[in-house]
Amino acid sequence: MEEYFHPTEVQASVGPDRWVSLSSRLEGQASRILDLLDQHHVKATFFVLGWAARRLPHMVRQIADAGHEIGCHSYNHQLVYNLTPKVFREDTKRGLGAIEDACGRSPRAYRAPSYSITRRSMWALEVLVECGFTRDSSIYPIAHDRYGIPGFGRHAQTLETPSGPILEVPIATVKLSARQVAPVGGGGYLRLLPYCYTAAGIRRVNDDESQPVCVYFHSWEIDPQQPRLASGLVSRLRTYTGLGGMEKKLNRLLAEFEFSTMASVYPITAGDTGRRQGAVSA
Ligand SMILES: [Zn+2]
């Protein structure tokens, strides 16, 4: 959940100093997403940008009140591998504070801007544990020019950090050969490629490997009317191609497969609710 001017591809032409002057479209997108999920009786995990939570606290409350899980997508949408651990900690705490103030809940799931937890920013996981997160979904096990850890485990796994464990939930991929994987976890791949590509990939992981998949989309990906601020051919193609057909594809996806929040698909018992273990008894 972020504005159309937050993606890394757009920040190259519109810097953070201009954000406050730009009109918001997130609220309208959020209500369409809530309607879409409601039609299919699906609960989801919404990774909310702290900056957006400060601007639209009532929107975050509305999503939480509808029974969805609230996760954190940083405060300022900066690439983690460009930050120092100190700045990353500050940004994460600021994001948490903004979301807690908005909805009264403390997120336990984190997703980094542009999947920017890579080999050179694995230190971030320790900071996330210190900040109270039990799940992270920021590692994309593919090769990409801006993100990804090729060869990283493709399914949910517990990673040990000096501060404690965290469950890493990678975005869905299919195995093509011993060394090659292809992304099938939504986002640009769902938007740019035909629906059957993603659906066949998910079926393969579900049926052949008996594993769930983690699929995502950005709030702005269902909004063809958004101002198109990204410049440069590659950035514009990556950001704006297929916006018009995205909602229809999501409808098909939600009808064909069964989805739920990260917290219910990947439950962790101890400390997961923000309450002390054993504090609740019948
Ligand atoms: Zn983002």
Side-chain angles (χ1 to χ4, degrees):
M1 301 305 286
E2 62 191 30
E3 295 284 2
Y4 58 96
F5 43 84
H6 287 130
T8 308
E9 300 279 359
V10 181
Q11 283 189 43
S13 40
V14 182
D17 52 317
R18 283 186 53 198
W19 290 354
V20 282
S21 65
L22 296 169
S23 62
S24 169
R25 295 188 65 84
L26 185 54
E27 221 180 330
Q29 295 160 1
S31 67
R32 279 169 60 202
I33 293 166
L34 286 173
D35 285 349
L36 183 67
L37 294 172
D38 194 45
Q39 281 162 26
H40 293 275
H41 311 289
V42 169
K43 301 295 180 209
T45 300
F46 286 67
F47 290 94
V48 179
L49 190 68
W51 190 93
R54 276 278 177 256
R55 206 182 203 193
L56 304 165
H58 48 283
M59 177 199 76
V60 185
R61 227 171 13 248
Q62 197 191 351
I63 297 168
D65 288 348
H68 300 285
E69 180 182 8
I70 304 291
C72 178
H73 188 45
S74 84
Y75 185 86
N76 243 350
H77 213 282
Q78 302 302 301
L79 298 169
V80 176
Y81 51 72
N82 286 343
L83 306 177
T84 62
K86 183 173 176 281
V87 174
F88 175 67
R89 184 178 289 106
E90 285 163 7
D91 178 85
T92 305
K93 287 195 166 163
R94 203 174 165 202
L96 277 173
I99 294 166
E100 283 164 3
D101 287 350
C103 69
R105 290 197 209 167
S106 192
R108 291 285 179 263
Y110 183 86
R111 173 161 296 148
S114 297
Y115 299 104
S116 55
I117 297 186
T118 62
R119 288 247 180 261
R120 57 187 171 123
S121 49
M122 289 297 274
W123 48 259
L125 296 172
E126 183 183 351
V127 178
L128 292 176
V129 174
E130 284 166 15
C131 292
F133 290 97
T134 54
R135 289 181 208 82
D136 174 64
S137 182
S138 307
I139 295 179
Y140 216 144
I142 57 164
H144 183 278
D145 58 355
R146 217 178 36 234
Y147 54 74
I149 303 183
F152 191 83
R154 295 173 43 244
H155 302 305
Q157 59 206 279
T158 302
L159 301 177
E160 292 298 332
T161 80
S163 298
I166 191 161
L167 185 73
E168 181 61 40
V169 183
I171 308 301
T173 53
V174 284
K175 208 166 178 171
L176 300 178
S177 67
R179 300 185 119 199
Q180 270 188 310
V181 298
V184 293
Y189 301 97
L190 177 62
R191 187 159 44 81
L192 295 159
L193 301 171
Y195 169 79
C196 57
Y197 167 84
T198 297
I202 294 174
R203 260 182 252 121
R204 206 158 131 181
V205 179
N206 284 171
D207 299 345
D208 298 354
E209 300 182 76
S210 303
Q211 288 282 345
V213 292
C214 178
V215 175
Y216 79 99
F217 63 98
H218 295 97
S219 41
W220 48 265
E221 285 187 292
I222 58 149
D223 182 8
Q225 271 81 48
Q226 68 187 279
R228 303 197 173 192
L229 302 175
S231 57
L233 184 64
V234 175
S235 286
R236 289 184 69 85
L237 279 174
R238 273 186 179 176
T239 314
Y240 304 127
T241 304
L243 288 175
M246 190 65 166
E247 199 165 332
K248 200 172 152 202
K249 286 178 179 172
L250 287 168
N251 251 313
R252 285 185 72 179
L253 207 59
L254 289 162
E256 184 173 350
F257 299 94
E258 202 183 321
F259 289 98
S260 191
T261 62
M262 212 166 256
S264 43
V265 178
Y266 304 98
I268 302 167
T269 43
D272 197 37
T273 56
R275 284 180 239 138
R276 276 175 198 279
Q277 192 182 17
V280 182
S281 57

